Amino acid sequence: MDGPHQNQPLVTAGTPLDEADAAVVLVHGRGATARSIVQMAQQFHHEGVAYLAPQAQRNTWYPNPFTAPVETNEPGRTSGLQAIADAIGDANDANIPTERVVLLGFSQGACLASEFVARNPDRYGGLAALSGGLIGETIDPDDYTGDLEGTPVFFGCSDVDPHIPEERVHESADVFERLHADVTKRLYPGMGHTINQDEADQVSAMIAALV
C-alpha cells in the first residue's frame, strides 16, 4: 500500500539482522520517534537480538485518540499496521520466523502493535503492550478471530492513565485470551503515563526466552 507511513525510515539497532536469532519490532508513541524507542530498548537488550523500529510520518501514527471512531484515524491506522507488517517481513526475510519476533509498543504504538497482533493471529515471540489497548470507539470481541497459539502477551498500564482507560486494558486482554494467548495483565496503582521497572523486567524476560 502507499500510505503516509510508507517510505519512512526503519531504524535498526542491536545485533545485525542477518546475524540475529530473534527480532523485536518497536513501535513508538505519539510525538516520539523510532530512534527514541530504540534508545529506550537498550535497557532490555540481549545479544543475538535485532531491533527494528518503523518511523511514523510527523511522529504520529494516527491523529485522534485510539478510542475515537476508527474511520477518523484513517489512513494513518492502516498505514501504521502495514509498517509493522513490513518490519516483520524484513525479519522473516532474514530467516527469523515470526515465532521469534516480539512486538513492543508504548502508548499509541502499543495500541497499534496490539491491534496488529489481534488482527493477524499467528505464533509470535511475544507482544508487550505498554500503556495501550485495542483500537476503536468500542471493542467487539467477535471482530477478532484466529489462534495466537500461546503467544506470550503482556499488558502493563497505570490504573489512572489519562490516555488509556483501565476498562480498555481489561477488554483488550480478554480478546487476547479468547485468541489463546498467554496473557499477563498488570495495572499499576497511581502510575503516570510511563514505563516502570517491573514492565521493563517483563519485557526483558520475554526477549531473553528467545535467545
Side-chain angles (χ1 to χ4, degrees):
M1 69 173 292
D2 185 20
H5 308 309
Q6 276 59 67
N7 301 314
Q8 296 292 312
L10 179 72
V11 176
T12 61
T15 301
L17 195 55
D18 60 356
E19 300 174 10
D21 297 316
V24 180
V25 175
L26 302 162
V27 191
H28 67 76
R30 182 193 299 271
T33 65
R35 291 195 181 280
S36 69
I37 198 166
V38 164
Q39 186 173 16
M40 181 205 75
Q42 290 179 355
Q43 63 185 304
F44 40 75
H45 173 63
H46 293 272
E47 291 299 325
V49 178
Y51 295 86
L52 310 173
Q55 173 66 48
Q57 185 186 59
R58 300 191 184 91
N59 303 335
T60 298
W61 295 106
Y62 45 84
N64 294 312
F66 78 117
T67 50
V70 168
E71 59 271 20
T72 69
N73 277 321
E74 296 293 9
R77 169 187 164 278
T78 296
S79 178
L81 293 173
Q82 184 62 49
I84 292 174
D86 291 343
I88 294 172
D90 285 355
N92 294 158
D93 289 344
N95 296 318
I96 300 174
T98 301
E99 65 187 29
R100 302 183 74 80
V101 176
V102 170
L103 275 74
L104 181 151
F106 173 68
S107 191
Q108 193 180 64
C111 300
L112 204 60
S114 56
E115 187 74 21
F116 179 87
V117 171
R119 292 196 176 277
N120 298 276
D122 201 342
R123 181 55 166 91
Y124 295 83
L127 165 67
L130 307 177
S131 302
L134 293 171
I135 297 172
E137 188 173 19
T138 59
I139 298 300
D140 183 352
D142 292 336
D143 287 345
Y144 301 91
T145 60
D147 192 343
L148 285 165
E149 302 176 30
T151 293
V153 170
F154 175 71
F155 281 95
C157 193
S158 167
D159 65 342
V160 292
D161 191 296
H163 306 290
I164 314 297
E166 179 180 342
E167 182 58 29
R168 180 57 59 91
V169 178
H170 293 307
E171 292 174 332
S172 301
D174 289 347
V175 167
F176 278 87
E177 287 179 346
R178 284 168 53 102
L179 296 174
H180 307 128
D182 181 8
V183 178
T184 300
K185 177 180 64 180
R186 293 190 181 173
L187 276 297
Y188 301 95
M191 188 176 79
H193 189 65
T194 186
I195 298 171
N196 66 21
Q197 188 59 52
D198 184 67
E199 291 174 298
D201 291 344
Q202 290 284 329
V203 171
S204 183
M206 183 183 290
I207 296 170
L210 299 179
V211 293

